[in-house]
Amino acid sequence: MKPMAHLGVGIGWRPEIADAVERLPGLDWVEVVAENICPGHLPEALLRLRERGTRVVPHGVSLGLGGADRPDPAKLAALGERAVALGAPLVTEHIAFVRTSSPVLEAGHLLPVPRTRDALDVLCENVRIAQDALPVPLALENIAALFSWPGEELTEGQFLTELVERTGVRLLIDVANLHTNRVNRGEDPAAVLDAIPLEALAYVHVAGGVERGDVWHDTHAHPVPPVVLDLLAALRSRVDPPGVLLERDDDFPPEAELAGELAAIRAVVTAGPAGQVRTETAPEAAEGPQSVREAADGPESAPEPAEGPGGRVAPEPARTRVALGQAALLSALVAGTPVPEGFDRGRIRVQARALAAKRADVVARLAPELPGILGGRDPYREAFLAYAKGRPMTAGYRRDALDFAEHLLIRDLPADPAARRRLTAWWRERAGVRPPRRVVRWARALAGRAA
């Protein structure tokens, strides 16, 4: 595997800190959440960064390559379009599942895959499908987890190593997630770093979190703690990382604090000797799919990865077994069904509460009018969490916001007539044309009554 192009030190670009990011000294690159941008309407702040030579990498969160289903061609095409629009040297995603198709459920969050042979076979085939569809190289991130799967057959290091050997995929190592899994699952970060093929390293994530009780929450809303910087230093002692990126998604600090965190990261990256794996200097960002791929891997074609055990195609019985396990778990997390045998029930309850809270928060960000209509943050959260308890998400957060509003209107809520009229108007403006389901007919009848 050829050395990865050098990226340097960067930060996750978010609209809330766009102005600050433009002013950060010595910033080499940024990463954007792929699903949050439109290729034909890139934010002006991102375009200005590109114009001055700052590299931009799209980071996907919705493919669910660890899921039992094969990747959605439309989602792959969308991710590829963003890579081309940004002139990106690669795209990144996660080793996770995010949904099930039978029953149709959305987690709204990254969930861990079991480290079993079945799950590895499924993941490898899904990765190869994604690689064939994408115009640039793909790197996959290890995720943070609150719980472990029962009956796992491989360690994290073994799982990641075999994934790389069988697919040739690159790795995005999140050292904050290594710390999370040390606290939550008792895993040794050093053992993971010692086991994985560091020549496959694309770049590194660094982020903050908080410990409550005996659970570490990977919030991306707190400063990077010293223990995570120590893990970055441990990785740096083994390899010269092609890039390191600070993630911050919420509760954004003042610009000076962001600059200070980047300086601390840069100090770790530049201090002391590293291992023998070295990186190449990246050429300028390319314009087309083929030249973008060459920017990361060089002009020669990469060797075809070995298929390894299980071959290119995962046996259908393996997919079925993975699907059944993931459906049972996700149903317990979002639909209140019994927790499958072997899982830590306390941890599953913590994860279920975290998923519901995130769902409420994301809907409030996408539809900020709803808390105002319902009388503030606390009444909104109370109403949303009551709605979510028996109604799992099936079609994403935007649909969830509309379904929540329908749910309230059907029940003649909110009680205040003026607020109900405002919610009716909000729903009417956004519902658009939909199949005439019974719930829609009810909501339209109520809308007419409230007008």
Side-chain angles (χ1 to χ4, degrees), residues 9 16 51 81 123 128 145 230 247 266 277 377 407 419 436:
V9 175
E16 297 89 340
E51 287 169 0
E81 287 170 0
L123 175 62
R128 295 300 301 272
D230 289 344
E247 288 189 295
R266 188 175 288 107
V277 181
R377 179 181 182 275
H407 165 80

Side-chain angles (χ1 to χ4, degrees), residues 15 56 61 112 150 181 193 213 229-230 233 237 277 310 351 375 377 451:
V56 183
V61 297
N181 295 340
L193 294 177
L229 290 177
D230 289 344
S237 71
V277 181
Q351 181 72 83
R377 179 181 182 275

Side-chain angles (χ1 to χ4, degrees), residues 28 64 96 105 121 127 130 155 181 275 290 316-317 338 345 348 378 408 445:
D28 299 312
L105 296 172
D121 286 346
V127 168
T155 66
N181 295 340
Q290 181 59 38
E316 286 307 314
R345 283 171 168 74
I348 296 301
D378 291 343
L408 294 176

Side-chain angles (χ1 to χ4, degrees), residues 264-291:
I265 289 169
R266 188 175 288 107
V268 173
V269 172
T270 57
Q276 296 303 306
V277 181
R278 293 290 186 242
T279 60
E280 295 176 341
T281 300
E284 293 299 315
E287 296 299 327
Q290 181 59 38
S291 56

Side-chain angles (χ1 to χ4, degrees), residues 50 124 144 221 242 254 259 309 319 329 386 390 402 408 447-448:
R50 283 206 64 204
C124 286
R319 283 195 180 271
L329 173 63
L402 288 172
L408 294 176

